[in-house]
Structures are given as structure tokens and as C-alpha cells.
Amino acid sequence: MSESPVRTLLAEAVEGLGGSTREGQIQMAEAVGSALVDEQHLLVQAGTGTGKSLAYLVPSILHDNRVVVATATLALQHQLVERDLPRLMEALKHRRELDTSYAVLKGRSNYACLHRIREGVPDDNGTLSMDFQVGGMAAKVLELREWAEAASEAKDDGDKDSAPRHTEREWRQISVSARDCLGAAKCPFGEECFAERARDKASKSHLVITNHSLLAIDAIEGIPMIPEYDAVVIDEAHELVARVTQAATDELSAGDVERAARRARRHVNEGQAADDLADASDALQLAMMETAVGRIDALPGGLLDALAQVRDSARAALSAFPKQQSSDAGHDGQSGDAGAQQAKGMVQDVFTIAERMAAGAQSDVLWLSDGGERGGFRLYIAPLQVWGQLRDKLLTEKTVVFTSATLKLGGTFDGVASTLGLKPAEQIAAGEERERTEDVLPWRALDVGSPFDYSKQGILYVAKQLPQPGRDGLSAQALTEIVELIDAADGRALGLFSSRRAAEQAAEHVRSRLPHLTTLAQGEAQLAELQQQFVADPHTVLFGTLTLWQGLDVPGDTCQLVLIDRIPFPRPDDPLMSARQKAADKAGGNGFMQVAATHAALLLAQGAGRLIRTTSDRGVVAILDPRLATARYGTFLKASLPPMWPTTDPAIVRNALKRLASTG
């Protein structure tokens, strides 16, 4: 029997890259190739070290039509575009018959805007200005402008990742959102536009690398962002539901409405329309002050009336904008267009969001926040579920391959598949065939395992003797346990905490008890700088919150102990998660297991995955929450973790860490 084209090309690629054959990589590549040919959806769990990017890139290159690869994080996108793809294409350059073209596509605000750079930035009154009297920011913005002009002349990409070091606030001075963009046809610099160049390159490429959010906007919201394609590979697929939800979440404050009114005042034909919108802003502020913070299951009359007033005033303001701006006024006229377009875009956003919030649809979740660090009341609205949209708008139209190191929870793919829009009853076994129809979307699942021997490389320690975590921070017993474990490891520890408060409490305690070690806490410096310090000195401890749980890659002796303070269930007052849990219960399911436990299992698996990154790594994952050993749901959670050797004996763990430290 002859070797499959996918297997042959993968072998050539691996040889060209100087790598070695990995059985899991071969299995995955052939499964992805079959999925693309058979037009059947596929879920692949591929552990760290499998080489999954190569396993999906090779069959994607062989596919007849364009394939989109979507990632959750910029880090993986950067790895694909800057490292994996260039090396792969170099290894396959002898295969001239293959289309090895590729392009990266991001949202418009990721590219510098030449119109904004050359014509100015509208201020809060809508006046276009080239002046940056904002302290030390002026010099940095000038540097960014000069970089963008040089990039335009050199035909470079104008991507923010290629720009000189900058803050988000500084970048906003030279970029625009999709709403504020004039569009290539109207903009005097349309032919030079970095974003349009990126789209043009993507339209001529066989592979397009993008992110989950842009994919959601294109496929689910129906706004064309990506050139035509029939297949998509979604890497970091465990993040997809959260990213799609985020892309479909809107927010509104009285300040947003007031700013839109102020911008509109310069451009509308009827000044009263802008005044009415400003009055609606005041009404919204009063209504929010009278509404309890948290999830809003039924709109109070006062808030409903205020949202309706905002909606109607915004609609009237939109009608008051001139129908058409002068198109032959030269650059000055075009600048006027930019100010008017931005103002109209702001009013349109206010109208759309207020209309959605006032509708009170059962498919949405509405909540009020006190603003936290941002200050001021703010309304949020998000979809209750996204599986229906994913199924109707993406899965029925395209062939989708979902892959991640974390797709199998509690020993099954069913939970994650359901959140993605695939029904467990539609799963087909190896060798089984089922026709794809409008109502039935067959899918396969594959776990290719990991090249790591987790039972020999890692210990899973559950601190069964500790009290159950409470709401008042870390207990004295938990703090003592943390110190003893870190002391045994002589540093080399990553602490993952459910709150900033707990991370800071642990850092302060460890500093006082183990002053000879370097203890770093998230927030004391940029994350990249903290990671660099952590890697540079093994006698270092790094404590952080949720953002450290995923994407942190520190193989070797740097990290031999991963501490997790508690099972990361969503907060009981999380408006969206609590609404999803309630909806699952109402539908006859188990909301706690389907929502809270699934959420916790994903995060636990991701957190535990920080320990073993290569075949030579050794260490301990210590979970300081006895419920993992004592609660009924503990079995489900443990089945979602890498199969490390389990123990509840602290003495065994401390001795193991001491041995590792002495040989490190």
C-alpha cells in the first residue's frame, strides 16, 4: 500500500527541518488531511511536544483551496508567521508544484493609519489636529509616525508588532478602528493603506493566518474580513468560545453617549438632535445609579426607559447627519469626512448597543458594573451561548479542524464539542461513515497523546490536609504549605492564583520567610520582563493570576514546581457564567458540571501544563485545594489533567523537590 501524500510531505518537511518522526504528529497530520478531503469536522487533542502546527500546516498546504489558520494568542500567531512557516516553506522549496504562499491578517487597528498620521487626530470636539501636547507622549508619537512613513516607503507591513516599543495609548494616536476608517475608496491614501495591503496579500495567498476574533467577525457576524475560504484550522481551540463571546460583547456608559453627542454636534444639521442625545446620557446615568450592580434578568422600568431614550435620540441624531460629504474638496474636505465619519460611527455604535440592550432578548445576558478601575457605571451585554452561532454560521458553511492540548475534559470530548456547536450524537468512530446534511454535521475526535511520560516526569500533589479555601484570602495553613514547598524546591516555582489579592498575599509571605530567594509578583513589572527574570535565575519564584495560566513557556530547571491555590471555578457573581449555568439547569442539564466544572477543568489543565514542556522536564504540580481529592467532581477534574503520578503526602513531595533541587 502506497504512502499517503500527507505522510510523504510531512516526512520531507521533518527531514528538511532536521527533526525526528513523531507518531502523534503523523496521526494528526493524516487525520487533518482526511477531514479536509472528506469535509468532516475534526477535534484533535495534541499534547505539548507533538508538533501540532506542522501536523496541520502540511495537509493545509496540500488542500486544493485556501485554508485559514486562526489562533487565540498573538504569541502563537507570531510563532507561526515568524518561525514555523518560513522554516517549513524553506524545507519544501523543492516542491515547486505546491502553493506555499501565506499571509497574516489582523484587525484594522493593528496597522498604522496613514490618513490619521498625515491629516491629524480628531479631538473630543471632532476637530482634526496634528498637535500632541500630551507630556512625553509627543516624542513617542512622532517616532511612530516616522516609522510608519518609512514603512510605507519600503512597502513594509505597518503592523504594530513591527513598530518601535510603545504603549496602547500611543499606538491609538496613529491607528483607527474599522468604524473610524474612511475606506479605501474614500481615503486619499487608500492605495498605500497598510490594512488594505494586508488584505490584498491574503487574497493572493493559500494560507491565511488570523485570530479567533477576526474569524468570528467574518464568519458569525457576516462582515467580510477574510478572503474566501472553505476550511479553517482553529488552534488553541479551548479559547474559541471565550474569544467569540468577547467579540460579541458590547458595553455602554453615560460617558460614551455624552462623547458621541459632543462629536455629533459639529456635524449634524439639527443641533437639537445632539442636545437630545446629551440629555439621554444624563437619563442613563440616573437610571444606572438606581439599578443594582450585577446581572439584570429583567430590565427595571427606569433603565428600560433610559435605554429607549438613548436609542431613539441616537436614531434621530443619525438622521441629522448630512447625507453626503463633499468628495471633491481635496485633502481638507477629506479630513472633514474623517471627523464626520468618526462622529457618525460613534452615534451608530451607541444606537446599535442601546437597541440591543433595550430589546431584552433571552439570547443575551445584561449586567451592570460599577466600573472597577475604570470608574463609573457601565452596562455590558453578551450572548448567553455561542454554540448556535458557531454551528449555523461556521460549521454548516466550512470544514473546521479544532486543535489544542486541552479538548478532552473528564476523559471525553463531548463537553467541549457541545460548546463549539457539535452534538455528541453526531460523533463518528474510526471507519464509520455518515453523510453531512443541513441538520447533521458529522465529526471525528482524536487524542494523539503526548511524547512525555507524565507518570515518570511529574507528580500531582493534592494538599488534602489543608482547609477548604474561603473568601478571606489564603489560610495560614496554605501559606505555610506554600513556603515549605518553595523552600524544598529552592525557588524554581510558578504560583498561579485565582486573584491578584491572593498572589500578592503569598508573595509578601514568601519574601518574609524565604528572603534568600527572589520573589516576583505580577504587576510589579511587564509580564515579559518578569518572565525574563524568572528564567534567568533558578532561585526565583513568580506569582501571578489568570493571565499567567496560558502561554507561559519556561522549560527546564527554571520551573520545577507549579502551585495552584484553588480550583478555578468562576466567581458565583460572574454574570455571564452564572446565567449560562442557570440556563443549563433550566434545560434539564447539570449547570454546575456543564459550566463551572468545565471552566475549572480547562484552566486547571492549562495551569498544570506549565510544568512539563520537554522530555527532560521534571517536577510537581501542587494543588492546595482539598476538594480535588474529596469532592465528587474531583474525579472529573483529575481526569482532565495530564496523567502524572498522584499523591496527597506532603513529605513525599518535599523530598522529591529537594532531590530535584540538588541535581539542578
Side-chain angles (χ1 to χ4, degrees), residues 398-611:
K398 317 290 184 187
T399 300
V400 185
V401 173
F402 301 95
T403 186
S404 166
T406 319
L407 289 179
K408 201 173 177 182
L409 301 178
T412 174
F413 287 93
D414 289 358
V416 170
S418 297
T419 65
L420 296 171
L422 294 168
K423 300 175 182 177
E426 294 172 331
Q427 183 179 359
I428 52 178
E432 184 185 353
E433 297 297 331
R434 190 180 304 176
E435 187 178 350
R436 179 170 170 169
T437 67
E438 286 186 9
D439 299 321
V440 179
L441 302 177
W443 59 279
R444 298 184 190 275
L446 175 67
D447 180 359
V448 300
S450 165
F452 307 145
D453 189 344
Y454 283 108
S455 63
K456 292 182 178 177
Q457 290 183 248
I459 295 174
L460 175 65
Y461 166 53
V462 180
K464 189 177 178 181
Q465 77 283 4
L466 293 181
Q468 184 171 313
R471 295 185 178 181
D472 300 322
L474 295 165
S475 66
Q477 297 97 315
L479 289 168
T480 299
E481 184 78 14
I482 289 169
V483 168
E484 289 178 352
L485 289 170
I486 290 173
D487 189 31
D490 198 19
R492 299 178 175 87
L494 175 66
L496 303 173
F497 294 85
S498 52
S499 70
R500 176 70 67 90
R501 177 187 169 196
E504 291 171 348
Q505 183 186 3
E508 183 180 346
H509 191 74
V510 170
R511 283 189 185 117
S512 66
R513 298 296 190 276
L514 303 173
H516 60 288
L517 298 176
T518 302
T519 301
L520 306 172
Q522 188 178 350
E524 294 173 349
Q526 292 294 318
L527 201 52
E529 188 180 334
L530 291 173
Q531 182 172 339
Q532 192 174 18
Q533 286 181 258
F534 183 52
V535 171
D537 179 9
H539 305 293
T540 302
V541 181
L542 174 58
F543 290 154
T545 56
L546 212 56
T547 52
L548 275 183
W549 287 57
Q550 300 176 40
L552 188 68
D553 197 2
V554 282
D557 294 343
T558 297
C559 182
Q560 294 182 339
L561 170 63
V562 172
L563 288 159
I564 297 174
D565 70 326
R566 64 192 300 157
I567 298 170
F569 291 121
R571 288 168 56 98
D573 59 355
D574 182 305
L576 186 55
M577 287 296 189
S578 62
R580 287 177 172 175
Q581 194 166 323
K582 181 180 176 182
D585 286 335
K586 191 175 179 181
N590 184 327
F592 172 76
M593 291 303 295
Q594 288 174 233
V595 179
T598 296
H599 173 85
L602 275 171
L603 286 176
L604 269 183
Q606 287 291 310
R610 299 309 96 198
L611 180 69

Side-chain angles (χ1 to χ4, degrees), residues 188-303:
F189 312 112
E191 291 184 6
E192 302 171 71
C193 176
F194 293 120
E196 291 300 320
R197 279 186 194 167
R199 291 187 69 176
D200 184 58
K201 184 180 179 183
S203 70
K204 298 171 183 174
S205 297
H206 183 67
L207 297 179
V208 175
I209 315 301
T210 189
N211 56 61
H212 291 182
S213 298
L214 207 64
L215 177 71
I217 293 168
D218 179 87
I220 296 173
E221 295 186 26
I223 302 169
M225 306 293 288
I226 303 171
E228 190 174 340
Y229 61 98
D230 68 3
V232 57
V233 176
I234 299 177
D235 203 343
E236 302 176 306
H238 62 278
E239 280 278 329
L240 182 66
V241 169
R243 300 297 170 123
V244 172
T245 300
Q246 189 177 39
T249 298
D250 287 319
E251 56 183 279
L252 188 67
S253 70
D256 296 334
V257 181
E258 196 275 331
R259 277 188 293 276
R262 194 162 63 238
R263 288 284 182 92
R265 191 169 282 112
R266 287 179 57 86
H267 303 283
V268 294
N269 291 326
E270 296 288 337
Q272 186 60 45
D275 292 341
D276 290 345
L277 187 57
D279 291 343
S281 161
D282 295 336
L284 180 62
Q285 179 65 21
L286 286 172
M288 288 192 293
M289 290 172 66
E290 295 171 355
T291 304
V293 169
R295 196 176 79 223
I296 301 170
D297 291 327
L299 272 168
L303 185 58

